[in-house]
Amino acid sequence: MLNYLRDEVAERYDILGRDLARKGIDIEEVKKKISNFMVEVPSWVFGPFGGGRFSSYIPPGAARNVFEKFDDAALVHRLTGATPKVSIHVGWDCPGNIPFEKIEADHFRGLKDYAENLGLGIGSVNPTYFLEGTHFGSLSADDINVRRKLIEHTLVAAEIASKYGSGILVLWLPDGSLYPGQVNFRLKESNLRESLREIYDRTPSSVKILIEYKLFEPGTYHTVIPDSFTAYDLARNLGDRAGVIIDLGHHAFGVNVEHIAARFIESGIPAGIHFNSRYVADDDQAVEPNMQIFLLFHELAMGSVIGNQDSRKNWIYIIDQCSKLENRIHAILHTIDSLMISYAKALIVDEEKLRGYQIRNEIILANRTLLDAFLTDVRPIICAAKLEKGLPPDPVSAYLESGYQEKIEMERL
Ligand code: PSV
Ligand code: MN
């Protein structure tokens, strides 16, 4: 995608710089923010997981264990300079063949060291609520033994997050139902609130808990945390260390996700994004630089929850994708490019002009001001930022030329 030649980059960068200067925007500042942009990659994108279709198909070269997942993540970081942290799923990523109930935080110490040797770190930590035994719910299960087991599992995840990770716990529950009458909604909710209360009270005070919502899957009739309001309400009731994850693929069609982000920014609640895109259903595909992602970045940038000098004010940014068929490394590199492009477009909105049109109720003129930024080709900024850091302007081409794919396909049979 970013396939300009080096000298063309300089020329296009200068032309764009002059255009932006007329709007009062300093292209160097935009480039700096793009250079500093970091996003976590999910360990699971590199492995065999990818939905329940096409039975045993696993993309060639998929990582066979957590260490290989980190090897792949290190390569992605080398090619993009933007992904120093890897988000892990405790149940999928525990080194050694430890049974789920026996997983302890210290099993992850070696992984932290391994990551550090690769120039990486463990980022957000996800307790895994959707392995065996949770088909009738996890933290909201009517069966107290299931709830107890998963509360303890979450506390292990919290310890991993505080000792070996970045102190962020992300909770996604597969809890829900398939038919009306299958469950008692209010009982599910009170079970969940009770579980979350115990988890919150017993986690180290350095750990933030971000709750994810999802309208569908696996519940087709209802899910216990279906929307942003429910997640917000649960988090607010827990305390200041609890917040929400907005996963872009988890809404009904047409939901105004950038508005949800704006509301969370305004509320001051801790929050983060799971980036991905979906078409008809589910949420596992790579991000394209579309209007929705641009509008979302515009809210994040205006709300100063990205690129803020005070890192405590920044939200947590994580890619959450893992589609079945495509080459996963191509897909993750494509997403990172798309995110950088969308962020850069958001940074070149003429905010003063936009505000002026808003005040004067010039509806179409305000809309055209946003579109002006969206339609600008910002790739010279991305390329320049990468070249300055010694990175390849087009990471996908660089990957194709690296021979890495051939190597992992040979080694990981
Ligand atoms: C669920 O669809 C989800 O978005 C959650 O974030 C999980 O942790 C992740 O995908 C992997 O299943
Ligand atoms: Mn997610």
Side-chain angles (χ1 to χ4, degrees):
M1 179 186 282
L2 299 169
N3 51 6
Y4 296 128
L5 298 171
R6 271 156 210 262
D7 41 352
E8 276 182 40
V9 173
E11 210 181 305
R12 285 168 193 241
Y13 184 84
D14 285 346
I15 296 169
L16 182 57
R18 283 197 293 277
D19 275 357
L20 294 179
R22 280 193 281 277
K23 297 195 215 166
I25 295 166
D26 180 354
I27 195 169
E28 288 293 308
E29 284 298 312
V30 178
K31 187 178 67 182
K32 201 157 109 199
K33 289 203 163 151
I34 297 301
S35 255
N36 293 336
F37 172 70
M38 300 292 148
V39 62
E40 288 183 27
V41 292
S43 69
W44 50 98
V45 74
F46 302 111
F49 168 74
R53 315 289 186 268
F54 308 125
S55 62
S56 59
Y57 177 75
I58 295 174
R64 293 164 301 181
N65 56 53
V66 68
F67 299 104
E68 290 182 351
K69 292 178 186 177
F70 272 70
D71 293 343
D72 293 353
L75 177 81
V76 169
H77 185 41
R78 279 203 298 284
L79 292 174
T80 62
T83 59
K85 287 193 180 139
V86 183
S87 180
I88 60 165
H89 241 291
V90 176
W92 280 332
D93 291 331
C94 185
N97 275 328
I98 315 279
F100 188 75
E101 284 84 0
K102 298 237 158 62
I103 295 176
E104 288 172 18
D106 287 344
H107 292 133
F108 285 78
R109 184 186 300 153
L111 182 62
K112 181 189 190 237
D113 297 341
Y114 189 82
E116 275 174 8
N117 282 331
L118 293 168
L120 298 175
I122 296 175
S124 50
V125 175
N126 302 256
T128 313
Y129 297 134
F130 44 83
L131 295 178
E132 278 165 42
T134 51
H135 35 280
F136 296 128
S138 61
L139 295 182
S140 79
D142 291 346
D143 183 340
I144 181 70
N145 295 321
V146 173
R147 289 209 310 272
R148 285 250 54 83
K149 179 172 120 177
L150 293 168
I151 289 169
E152 294 310 319
H153 172 68
T154 312
L155 296 172
V156 169
E159 199 183 333
I160 298 167
S162 81
K163 277 186 171 169
Y164 307 125
S166 57
I168 306 291
L169 210 55
V170 176
L171 314 188
W172 176 71
L173 284 62
D175 302 33
S177 63
L178 305 178
Y179 292 94
Q182 180 187 336
V183 300
N184 176 325
F185 293 143
R186 284 171 45 214
L187 181 60
K188 288 278 155 200
E189 177 137 349
S190 70
N191 289 343
L192 173 61
R193 283 184 192 274
E194 232 178 73
S195 303
L196 288 174
R197 169 53 54 208
E198 180 171 347
I199 288 166
Y200 187 87
D201 290 346
R202 290 178 59 198
T203 39
S205 60
S206 60
V207 170
K208 271 192 200 152
I209 299 177
L210 302 181
I211 300 171
E212 195 168 341
Y213 56 93
K214 186 172 188 178
L215 180 64
F216 51 88
E217 199 273 323
T220 47
Y221 168 62
H222 112 288
T223 60
V224 286
I225 314 181
D227 55 26
S228 58
F229 168 75
T230 313
Y232 176 84
D233 182 54
L234 290 168
R236 262 285 136 96
N237 276 302
L238 287 176
D240 291 346
R241 292 188 287 112
V244 180
I245 279 279
I246 301 173
D247 184 311
L248 297 181
H250 287 189
H251 307 87
F253 274 120
V255 168
N256 185 336
V257 180
E258 60 274 16
H259 181 207
I260 295 174
R263 291 178 53 218
F264 288 161
I265 293 169
E266 195 58 25
S267 77
I269 197 164
I273 310 279
H274 266 183
F275 290 110
N276 51 50
S277 57
R278 77 171 164 118
Y279 290 105
V280 178
D282 222 331
D283 55 348
D284 290 328
Q285 285 161 296
V287 176
E288 296 164 322
N290 57 28
M291 187 71 178
Q292 185 198 39
I293 305 280
F294 158 71
L295 292 173
L296 175 66
F297 269 103
H298 185 232
E299 292 303 329
L300 301 172
M302 277 202 308
S304 302
V305 294
I306 187 165
N308 199 313
Q309 307 276 32
D310 179 352
S311 60
R312 288 168 309 176
K313 303 231 164 87
N314 286 322
W315 283 13
I316 312 300
Y317 298 105
I318 309 162
I319 296 169
D320 178 9
Q321 72 181 57
C322 184
S323 186
K324 186 88 185 170
L325 295 178
E326 70 254 29
N327 179 302
R328 305 289 178 69
I329 298 181
H330 296 181
I332 202 95
L333 295 171
H334 183 50
T335 290
I336 296 160
D337 260 354
S338 302
L339 296 176
M340 285 182 182
I341 289 171
S342 307
Y343 184 24
K345 285 174 189 268
L347 292 169
I348 61 164
V349 171
D350 188 336
E351 299 295 345
E352 216 181 295
K353 197 167 160 192
L354 182 63
R355 189 71 206 117
Y357 287 143
Q358 288 172 345
I359 289 167
R360 298 201 299 281
N361 293 314
E362 288 288 6
I363 302 169
I364 296 298
L365 302 184
N367 179 247
R368 284 173 72 87
T369 304
L370 268 187
L371 286 177
D372 185 39
F374 178 63
L375 294 173
T376 302
D377 184 356
V378 292
R379 288 177 298 174
I381 304 177
I382 316 292
C383 287
K386 288 180 177 187
L387 289 173
E388 213 169 73
K389 287 166 97 176
L391 296 165
D394 179 356
V396 178
S397 302
Y399 181 70
L400 294 175
E401 284 158 21
S402 70
Y404 191 86
Q405 185 66 34
E406 292 74 10
K407 180 174 160 291
I408 57 179
E409 282 186 29
M410 292 264 290
E411 287 171 5
R412 300 175 182 173
L413 290 172

